[in-house]
Amino acid sequence: MTAKNIQPIETRYKGYRFRSRLEARWAVFMDHLGLAWDYESQGYLVDGKPYLPDFLVRPDDKEGAFWLEIKGSFPTEEERLKVRGLAEGTGIRAFLYSGKLESPAPDLSHLDMTRYVGPHERDYAWTDDHGWDKSADRSVDWEVGLTPTAFLFGPRRARDDKSDFLWWAECTACGYVKISRAGQRAWCPKFDDLSLEELERRFGPLYPCFGHRTPRILAAYEAARSARFEHGESGA
């Protein structure tokens, strides 16, 4: 049997027919977190080729909607170019996510600013396997052994396409959910009327808090992994 003879099984969930069970599980994940989404809502021609993006996620916040493209493995250059073209053409930022349906790292809430940021400027080196890697003499200790989870493409073309530690995270001060670098909430639209000084007074220098392993986020991963679709709909 060759690889071309293997196809993902289509999965039905909430009235949608997903092209793969992995996509359906990410839909369960977002439902558990109360995030509104549309699946394959609109097709586009990107550089003259048809493209039907997976999810348009519509959180209720000032940052607006974002595209979420799900891949089961590290994306190819062609897949990256396609999603970059989608972001530039629609004016909506896009995540190309290939991370697993699990928390990507241990709890980091005990770190202070120095241990989180590190003493030196970061120095990244491109690798074919994971997009980038850290130089051994510059890595922050907690990042050693971790691999990137996603690409982020903005409406304006960046000079380089770099994968990153883009993790689902929750603001532990208000419960707002987004995809954030290294799970660090760092800034929340619910507190944009507060000064930096006030934010640090209330929540500390890493305001509001690390949130990639909150009970709610972990429960969403568990709900997505344990969802059963054999009879059509899933109660998660």
Side-chain angles (χ1 to χ4, degrees):
M1 179 181 292
T2 60
K4 66 181 180 180
N5 295 321
I6 299 178
Q7 298 292 331
I9 298 175
E10 291 186 342
T11 301
R12 293 186 180 274
Y13 173 68
K14 293 191 70 172
Y16 291 91
R17 188 175 65 181
F18 291 89
R19 296 179 185 271
S20 71
R21 189 152 296 194
L22 178 62
E23 292 174 350
R25 293 193 186 282
W26 279 110
V28 173
F29 175 86
M30 290 186 285
D31 279 346
H32 198 86
L33 295 173
L35 294 172
W37 51 267
D38 294 318
Y39 179 70
E40 294 190 341
S41 58
Q42 177 63 54
Y44 298 93
L45 286 176
V46 178
D47 294 329
K49 298 179 181 179
Y51 177 37
L52 190 58
D54 290 339
F55 294 98
L56 180 62
V57 186
R58 297 175 282 107
D60 183 18
D61 70 86
K62 296 181 180 179
E63 292 188 346
F66 60 87
W67 298 106
L68 177 63
E69 184 73 12
I70 298 297
K71 297 298 178 185
S73 58
F74 190 80
T76 64
E77 180 180 6
E78 180 180 0
E79 290 168 337
R80 299 196 299 268
L81 289 174
K82 189 183 298 183
V83 178
R84 185 176 71 180
L86 174 71
E88 294 171 0
T90 61
I92 300 173
R93 62 200 171 104
F95 292 92
L96 178 53
Y97 203 92
S98 58
K100 297 180 180 180
L101 262 164
E102 60 186 31
S103 182
D107 180 20
L108 305 176
S109 61
H110 62 285
L111 298 181
D112 59 24
M113 179 65 82
T114 301
R115 295 177 64 194
Y116 173 69
V117 176
H120 306 292
E121 293 292 329
R122 291 189 175 90
D123 184 17
Y124 300 111
W126 181 262
T127 69
D128 291 334
D129 292 334
H130 298 299
W132 57 253
D133 203 350
K134 295 283 177 48
S135 296
D137 60 341
R138 290 182 178 266
S139 297
V140 181
D141 288 345
W142 65 266
E143 293 179 330
V144 174
L146 298 180
T147 56
T149 53
F151 285 82
L152 170 59
F153 300 94
R156 295 184 179 181
R157 176 168 298 193
R159 286 187 297 173
D160 298 304
D161 300 335
K162 298 292 180 68
S163 54
D164 208 339
F165 296 154
L166 295 166
W167 303 341
W168 292 91
E170 177 185 13
C171 174
T172 55
C174 73
Y176 171 69
V177 174
K178 67 174 291 188
I179 300 177
S180 179
R181 190 191 184 280
Q184 170 60 10
R185 273 292 331 140
W187 175 83
C188 180
K190 302 295 178 65
F191 301 102
D192 62 357
D193 58 337
L194 299 182
S195 66
L196 175 61
E197 292 75 15
E198 180 64 14
L199 284 168
E200 291 188 347
R201 186 186 70 80
R202 291 192 188 186
F203 307 111
L206 289 174
Y207 62 88
C209 189
F210 290 99
H212 68 282
R213 288 185 62 89
T214 64
R216 186 171 166 225
I217 294 286
L218 294 177
Y221 283 123
E222 176 61 26
R225 291 194 303 268
S226 61
R228 295 292 180 264
F229 304 98
E230 286 80 2
H231 303 291
E233 297 289 321
S234 168

